[in-house]
Amino acid sequence: MIASLTGTVTHVSLERVVLDVGGVGYLVHATPGTLAGLRVGERAQLHTTLVVREDSMTVYGFAEADEREVFETAQSVSGVGPRIALAMLAVMPPDALRRAVDSDDTAALRRVPGVGPKSAQRIVLELSGKLGAPSSGGPGAQETPTPASGDVGRDQVVEALVGLGWTAKVAQDAVDRVLAESATDGVPAAPVDVAATLRAALRSLGGRRG
């Protein structure tokens, strides 16, 4: 088991990072949220898990150990492999997933690519009691915003999207659209929730590059 990797980032794409550890380049699959925090040339540490199949050995990495634990637990559900488990964490952080399971919120789970009504219900049933209670409160609790206000938060999200492969124009348009949709009476929220805005922008962009 490869439990963690610490090294220099040599390449970052939309779905993976290459981490140079002692001269060996490890290809690590990760969520957009984790990848957005990595920069080529900088050192980084990822909490990792190795998934072994008959024809492959794949390393998955996470910024937080809690994400890795949820990723591993999610795969105990029938029909949920590493790709869907990673997609679950790309769409919602661990506590949001816990709240969805605790409150039988299958609608939230169906927002995950590859998860339909039947599989969403199966996830709720088979993960019930396995993920633990949300650390931030009950089902109605909100995510804690990443501290950033005004143009600073917007620019952080745009920079993350550009780092993941979108052009600056496409990234700016997507972020502005998400912020406009979440505005109250035309006034964007302050501080900007960087993590939530990034996830919303990624959902709106899908696979487009433009």
Side-chain angles (χ1 to χ4, degrees):
M1 170 64 74
I2 302 176
S4 68
L5 290 171
T6 302
T8 302
V9 177
T10 61
H11 176 74
V12 181
S13 65
L14 181 61
E15 299 178 339
R16 63 191 71 179
V17 59
V18 176
L19 205 60
D20 186 318
V21 182
V24 178
Y26 287 86
L27 179 64
V28 183
H29 294 259
T31 64
T34 292
L35 294 168
L38 305 177
R39 296 292 180 271
V40 173
E42 296 184 0
R43 286 184 64 80
Q45 179 183 43
L46 294 176
H47 301 274
T48 59
T49 184
L50 176 64
V51 176
V52 179
R53 295 287 186 265
E54 291 184 1
D55 58 349
S56 67
M57 291 190 296
T58 308
V59 179
Y60 294 87
F62 307 90
E64 303 293 338
D66 186 34
E67 292 178 307
R68 179 186 62 193
E69 299 304 317
V70 170
F71 172 79
E72 293 174 346
T73 303
Q75 292 177 70
S76 67
V77 177
S78 175
V80 174
R83 283 189 174 276
I84 290 182
L86 194 67
M88 290 166 66
L89 287 168
V91 172
M92 61 184 78
D95 269 357
L97 179 58
R98 291 186 177 101
R99 290 194 293 271
V101 171
D102 286 351
S103 61
D104 196 15
D105 187 357
T106 56
L109 293 169
R110 290 200 305 273
R111 290 200 293 269
V112 177
V115 174
K118 290 184 179 179
S119 53
Q121 190 60 54
R122 187 165 58 247
I123 289 170
V124 168
L125 291 173
E126 297 187 25
L127 287 186
S128 180
K130 292 184 178 180
L131 296 177
S135 62
S136 55
Q142 299 295 317
E143 297 174 36
T144 301
T146 303
S149 59
D151 290 340
V152 175
R154 174 189 177 278
D155 291 346
Q156 286 179 357
V157 180
V158 170
E159 181 183 354
L161 291 172
V162 171
L164 291 173
W166 278 276
T167 65
K169 178 64 166 62
V170 170
Q172 290 167 2
D173 289 347
V175 174
D176 288 342
R177 182 167 59 251
V178 168
L179 292 177
E181 291 173 351
S182 63
T184 301
D185 295 328
V187 180
V192 172
D193 186 334
V194 175
T197 303
L198 175 59
R199 283 192 292 271
L202 285 166
R203 286 195 295 268
S204 72
L205 285 168
R208 297 187 310 240
R209 282 296 183 274

